[in-house]
Amino acid sequence: MTLTQHMLARIAAHGPMSLADYMAEALLHPTLGYYSTRDPLGAEGDFTTAPEISQMFGEMIGLALAQAWLDQGAPAPFALVELGPGRGTLMADILRATARVAGFAEAAQIHLVEASPTLRAEQAKRVPQAQWHDDITSLPDLPLFLVANEFLDALPIRQFHRDDGGWREVMIGGGEATLTAGLSAPAPIALLDHRLKDTKAGDIVEHCPALPGLVQTIAQTIATHRGTALFIDYGDWRSLGDTLQALQNHAPVDPFAAPGTADLTAHVDFEAIAQNAAPARYSRVTPQGVFLERLGITQRAQTLAANLSGPALDAHIAAHRRLTHPSEMGTLFKVIALYPEGAAPPPGLDP
């Protein structure tokens, strides 16, 4: 049975499903879901993340976390955590970059939050000392130094269309052999009451049901035990518009044509992160390019370039540009941090 057939049977039995339920099935169905069945990263996969573009990304993140750790008194032990670690490349680069920070490696307990068995196997090759978790609820009660790069964008969303009668939610139904997106009857939606002031008929607003609880749990840990959390993703301050996209072989495809075979993501609403940051503090949202430049990525790029020539040098220059330039990932991707009351935000970010 294909995932499309499985979903059509579910819809026939229980009626149309929300976009959030559809995304959860498409990405995480235990035997047919996208992340359950493949390594999606790199040239052979469907998309490429910043850590796979250049080691410089992970080095900058690692040194920022290490400085935040030092600024907070170098607590030991502490939990060094990554959400959605891909192949483990980012964490491996973080550990290499921080190896000379006195006491950091000895105090760090490595924890990776990963649902995909396929990706856990890849992570174990690069970070064999890690402990794995299905979700954040089983993380230890320790100072928490966490990074989530392109993690929130894969969390399932609900999508609502504004009209004169309230909001119409995108629902997934089906014909005999295909899945189709439609709209519910208009109704008031309490969780979107605050968006009535800044939207009009025809506007689309997205809501990520899992984000508030996730951010609140991390914020509470940081407020209680100290630490910092870096969220790096594409998105903007407030959700507006249809941002659902499906990628297959590095190209956009119909998100409903063949669930389980393409990556599904949506832009992150950074305002929602800030709204759920209490009792921790949150930094100003900063473009990825500005953040990396403040951390010294250009100086690091120049140091690495001194030993390169020809195609290797060309690739290195292109990687630096892709990570930082406004027309590449530099502006679309943004960074926000959580940190404790009384502490400074991590390097590269403003309060």
Side-chain angles (χ1 to χ4, degrees), residues 46-348:
D46 297 314
F47 60 91
T48 301
T49 59
E52 305 291 332
I53 293 169
S54 170
Q55 70 185 65
M56 295 184 293
F57 181 81
E59 291 170 349
M60 297 299 107
I61 300 300
L63 293 175
L65 289 174
Q67 187 61 56
W69 176 75
L70 290 169
D71 290 343
Q72 293 187 37
F78 72 93
L80 181 59
V81 177
E82 185 177 359
L83 308 185
R87 290 175 171 167
T89 304
L90 174 55
M91 183 56 75
D93 288 341
I94 288 172
L95 293 174
R96 190 186 68 258
T98 56
R100 294 183 182 178
V101 178
F104 187 87
E106 293 77 13
Q109 295 182 6
I110 315 303
H111 297 270
L112 303 179
V113 178
E114 179 57 69
S116 165
T118 303
L119 289 175
R120 281 192 184 196
E122 286 295 320
Q123 293 154 18
K125 297 175 186 175
R126 295 166 180 82
V127 195
Q129 70 272 45
Q131 301 175 54
W132 280 267
H133 303 260
D134 292 327
D135 56 55
I136 63 170
T137 60
S138 59
L139 292 173
D141 291 328
L142 291 172
L144 176 66
F145 291 82
L146 177 148
V147 60
N149 179 63
E150 290 196 59
F151 173 78
L152 296 177
D153 66 271
L155 296 179
I157 60 159
R158 295 171 70 186
Q159 195 179 85
F160 301 90
H161 291 230
R162 173 88 187 269
D163 82 355
D164 294 333
W167 300 93
R168 296 161 67 94
E169 182 168 5
V170 172
M171 304 294 288
I172 312 306
E176 287 198 9
T178 58
L179 295 159
T180 55
L183 294 173
S184 69
I189 303 290
L191 65 86
L192 295 179
D193 281 350
H194 68 292
R195 297 304 307 273
L196 292 173
K197 296 177 183 176
D198 71 325
T199 56
K200 62 185 184 301
D203 283 348
I204 298 171
V205 170
E206 295 170 343
H207 169 70
C208 177
L211 186 146
L214 177 95
V215 173
Q216 288 166 15
T217 299
I218 292 169
Q220 186 62 61
T221 300
I222 288 172
T224 303
H225 300 286
R226 301 183 70 77
T228 196
L230 290 172
F231 295 100
I232 307 161
D233 230 309
Y234 55 92
D236 221 321
W237 177 248
R238 180 174 297 165
S239 169
L240 187 65
D242 175 8
T243 72
L244 177 70
Q245 64 176 9
L247 277 182
Q248 189 175 61
N249 296 324
H250 300 266
V253 295
D254 180 346
F256 308 112
T261 66
D263 183 46
L264 297 177
T265 61
H267 285 205
V268 173
D269 181 349
F270 281 83
E271 183 182 40
I273 299 175
Q275 288 172 335
N276 290 281
R281 297 183 64 81
Y282 63 89
S283 74
R284 189 171 303 176
V285 175
T286 301
Q288 175 177 293
V290 172
F291 174 65
L292 293 174
E293 291 292 0
R294 288 174 176 174
L295 294 176
I297 193 171
T298 293
Q299 292 89 332
R300 177 59 174 156
Q302 290 167 346
T303 300
L304 293 172
N307 299 314
L308 300 173
S309 61
L313 178 59
D314 293 341
H316 174 65
I317 292 170
H320 175 265
R321 176 184 171 85
R322 187 169 177 190
L323 290 173
T324 61
H325 197 274
S327 68
E328 303 265 355
M329 299 172 75
T331 300
L332 175 62
F333 281 73
K334 298 178 178 67
V335 187
I336 190 172
L338 306 185
Y339 56 97
E341 190 73 42

